[in-house]
Amino acid sequence: IFSGSSHPALVDAICERLGTKPSPVQLRKFSNGETSVEISASVRDQDVFIVQSGSSQINDNVMEMLIMISACKGGSARSITAVMPYFPYSRQSKRKTHRGAITARMLANLMYVAGVNHVITIDLHASQMQGFFKCPVDNLIAEPILAKWLRMNVPDWMEAVVVSKNPGGTKRVTSLADSLKLSFGVVTTDRRRPHHYSSLLNSTIFESMGTDGTIDSTALEKDAEEAETRIRTSERGTPGPTERPPHDMDGYEEPAGDEDHDERARDVITGRLIHGHIVDDDAPSPVLSIRSGSVQGNHNGQRGSQSSNEEPMPEAMMQSFMSTASTHSRMQPPHHGLGGTGDATASDEEEEEALKDPYTESTVTLVGNVRDRPVLIVDDIIDKAGSWVAAAETVVKRGGATKVYCMATHGIFAEDALSELDMCEEIEAIVVTDAFPISEEKRRLTRKLVILDVSGLLSEAIRRNHHGESISQLYHYYD
């Protein structure tokens, strides 16, 4: 078992459970920043386990691990297993823009080229990432460890409700809720940003273009007449010439009844988020103030967003439909760069930026009954505190919950996230594992932080892998 420089305390705990010591390896850097690795023990025909988790020095950790894998391969090791409790770049597992990179897949290819034969990790950000690898992957789960702490430290845990702070984490939340026979809920946010209006009415081609793509003015007038006819017909309540009566899935007409009415879903609570915090319903909206200011500033300007004091738009741009459309796309980029419907697992960075933006108002929705019950907000990573604080305030101030426990596998705690979580009065405890190294300085910042040990889970996975035993028992709950 070789230890990288990212988490030596975890490696010592693993080796202590296995009754061994970390094998000697020399890790150092040259003056120009290059990483040097020298294996100081024979690995010929041996099962090698390289324990290297992600840390704040993520790029150095990745390069160090790749060099260690290559060195063991050159030393004729029988098998090389990379034990990575926190897999680096796991949040970059999909392409979000046209020119984006799937960095997690690239790292998997680099590890395979270096010579890895097996990968052991805990709670990948997206379980589909296992398909990136050309070798077996054991994606262990920390759910039994979190559940054991819950049963031992929360007196009324049987009345608790497991809540996901965004729609992308519902699968993880429902798994814990089903295992403990608990109820679950979901918190969603709908952003409302100030709109930048851009008109295409100045385009000669667009103004003369019909709905069928033609540029004939006669066709444009015909489309307008047909639209007016459909509006008048719908107001009379009779189907138009091109409309058909509603049919059921089997082709028969669906009879109208007294039960055909919309009913508001139960246990749905909404609220307003401004600057990442719950506000009253009568609080002034920053979106409306920004919009009114922009409208007043452009009141004396020409049509569109061009001011009267600015230079007039060139005639060539006035005649071009594509130029005006491209201007519109630059002013208001699409939310989903690759088109289609939006992904349920929205980017954490985008969510945090929207919550911290003072000019952005969000409507938060809580689905589920949490009144007079403790709430467990569960996710795989705690990076920034904005979305966690917003979800905690929502379930307490709007839903009427008693306590909030923030639970995750990897506690990254970027910037001042840990202190912000500690200052939130609604949060009772912050429960994470030591899969990601947490410095002593950060631990002293809060009294709410609880760190659970995963050395037992990893050591048992290493032992079973070495002896060729099944690891399926590690996915089950245990006392």
Side-chain angles (χ1 to χ4, degrees):
I1 299 177
F2 293 102
S3 171
S5 60
S6 63
H7 205 339
L10 179 61
V11 181
D12 293 338
I14 292 174
C15 292
E16 183 179 357
R17 288 178 176 271
L18 294 175
T20 183
K21 293 183 178 181
S23 300
V25 57
Q26 297 182 10
L27 305 173
R28 58 193 179 96
K29 285 183 176 294
F30 292 117
S31 58
N32 60 352
E34 294 181 0
T35 301
S36 173
V37 174
E38 182 178 350
I39 305 296
S40 302
S42 175
V43 296
R44 184 176 296 274
D45 201 26
Q46 299 291 323
D47 291 334
V48 175
F49 297 88
I50 302 175
V51 183
Q52 180 78 309
S53 184
S55 68
S56 57
Q57 306 294 330
I58 193 75
N59 295 322
D60 292 337
N61 299 149
V62 169
M63 199 64 200
E64 186 178 88
M65 179 195 61
L66 295 175
I67 297 176
M68 293 176 69
I69 293 174
S70 180
C72 293
K73 181 181 179 181
S76 301
R78 178 169 59 188
S79 67
I80 303 173
T81 301
V83 182
M84 310 174 70
Y86 171 73
F87 191 84
Y89 292 97
S90 60
R91 286 182 288 184
Q92 301 186 40
S93 59
K94 58 184 178 182
R95 181 179 297 170
K96 301 176 183 178
T97 61
H98 286 288
R99 290 175 292 276
I102 307 178
T103 314
R105 182 180 63 182
M106 183 189 70
L107 180 56
N109 293 334
L110 288 174
M111 295 174 61
Y112 177 76
V113 171
V116 74
N117 303 113
H118 200 112
V119 175
I120 298 177
T121 186
I122 301 178
D123 280 333
L124 287 171
H125 188 60
S127 60
Q128 298 89 339
M129 285 174 52
Q130 300 177 66
F132 293 164
F133 295 87
K134 300 179 182 178
C135 62
V137 178
D138 292 333
N139 183 26
L140 305 177
I141 58 175
E143 184 179 297
I145 300 176
L146 298 175
K148 182 179 180 180
W149 180 92
L150 175 66
R151 295 196 301 266
M152 296 178 62
N153 295 274
V154 180
D156 51 349
W157 69 269
M158 291 180 290
E159 301 294 330
V161 179
V162 191
V163 174
S164 174
K165 66 184 182 68
N166 52 46
T170 52
K171 184 177 180 180
R172 187 176 292 103
V173 164
T174 54
S175 175
L176 179 61
D178 292 342
S179 301
L180 296 178
K181 304 297 187 293
L182 301 177
S183 303
F184 66 92
V186 181
V187 174
T188 63
T189 55
D190 180 22
R191 305 177 212 163
R192 290 188 291 178
R193 299 178 180 271
H195 297 283
H196 301 281
Y197 297 98
S198 176
S199 176
L200 299 179
L201 297 179
N202 289 332
S203 173
T204 305
I205 298 179
F206 180 76
E207 289 183 348
S208 61
M209 182 178 294
T211 57
D212 56 352
T214 62
I215 312 179
D216 188 7
S217 59
T218 306
L220 190 62
E221 296 175 358
K222 182 178 179 181
D223 293 337
E225 293 177 358
E226 293 179 355
E228 187 177 357
T229 303
R230 286 195 298 268
I231 293 175
R232 289 198 302 266
T233 305
S234 60
E235 292 177 353
R236 291 196 301 265
T238 57
T242 59
E243 297 179 346
R244 297 180 180 179
H247 283 73
D248 202 352
M249 296 297 294
D250 54 0
Y252 293 95
E253 184 176 354
E254 184 177 355
D258 296 336
E259 298 179 356
D260 296 338
H261 58 85
D262 295 332
E263 182 178 356
R264 182 178 178 84
R266 297 179 180 177
D267 300 332
V268 176
I269 302 173
T270 60
R272 295 175 61 197
L273 285 176
I274 296 179
H275 207 206
H277 296 279
I278 288 289
V279 298
D280 297 333
D281 294 336
D282 55 352
S285 174
V287 178
L288 297 178
S289 60
I290 286 294
R291 187 177 301 173
S292 61
S294 61
V295 171
Q296 183 178 1
N298 293 333
H299 179 70
N300 297 325
Q302 298 177 2
R303 183 170 56 182
S305 60
Q306 183 181 355
S307 175
S308 58
N309 297 327
E310 297 177 356
E311 297 181 0
M313 185 177 294
E315 186 66 23
M317 294 295 292
M318 297 285 290
Q319 303 295 333
S320 172
F321 168 71
M322 293 303 296
S323 299
T324 313
S326 59
T327 304
H328 174 73
S329 63
R330 288 196 305 268
M331 294 181 62
Q332 193 174 4
H335 296 291
H336 314 291
L338 298 182
T341 57
D343 197 338
T345 56
S347 172
D348 297 336
E349 292 293 334
E350 296 176 357
E351 182 180 4
E352 295 292 341
E353 290 177 2
L355 292 175
K356 293 298 183 181
D357 187 2
Y359 303 111
T360 300
E361 177 184 346
S362 301
T363 300
V364 61
T365 304
L366 170 63
V367 181
N369 183 17
V370 298
R371 184 165 299 278
D372 299 329
R373 297 182 180 183
V375 169
L376 315 174
I377 303 179
V378 180
D379 206 349
D380 62 325
I381 297 175
I382 298 181
D383 188 1
K384 296 183 180 180
S387 57
W388 293 86
V389 172
E393 292 184 357
T394 300
V395 297
V396 173
K397 294 182 179 180
R398 292 290 182 176
T402 57
K403 301 177 183 179
V404 176
Y405 298 89
C406 297
M407 309 181 71
T409 304
H410 311 291
I412 299 179
F413 301 122
E415 300 174 352
D416 299 330
L418 194 54
S419 60
E420 293 179 12
L421 292 172
D422 184 71
M423 290 186 296
C424 182
E425 298 178 354
E426 290 78 11
I427 296 178
E428 182 73 15
I430 308 163
V431 185
V432 296
T433 69
D434 59 348
F436 189 92
I438 303 174
S439 62
E440 291 294 335
E441 181 181 358
K442 286 186 176 181
R443 297 187 185 192
R444 291 192 296 265
L445 291 177
T446 175
R447 56 179 177 81
K448 300 179 180 179
L449 182 63
V450 178
I451 302 178
L452 306 180
D453 185 18
V454 294
S455 61
L457 177 65
L458 293 174
S459 60
E460 184 65 14
I462 292 175
R463 189 194 67 80
R464 289 172 179 258
N465 183 273
H466 175 65
H467 293 287
E469 300 177 9
S470 172
I471 67 167
S472 60
Q473 294 297 325
L474 301 182
Y475 294 90
H476 298 162
Y477 283 64
Y478 51 89
D479 295 328

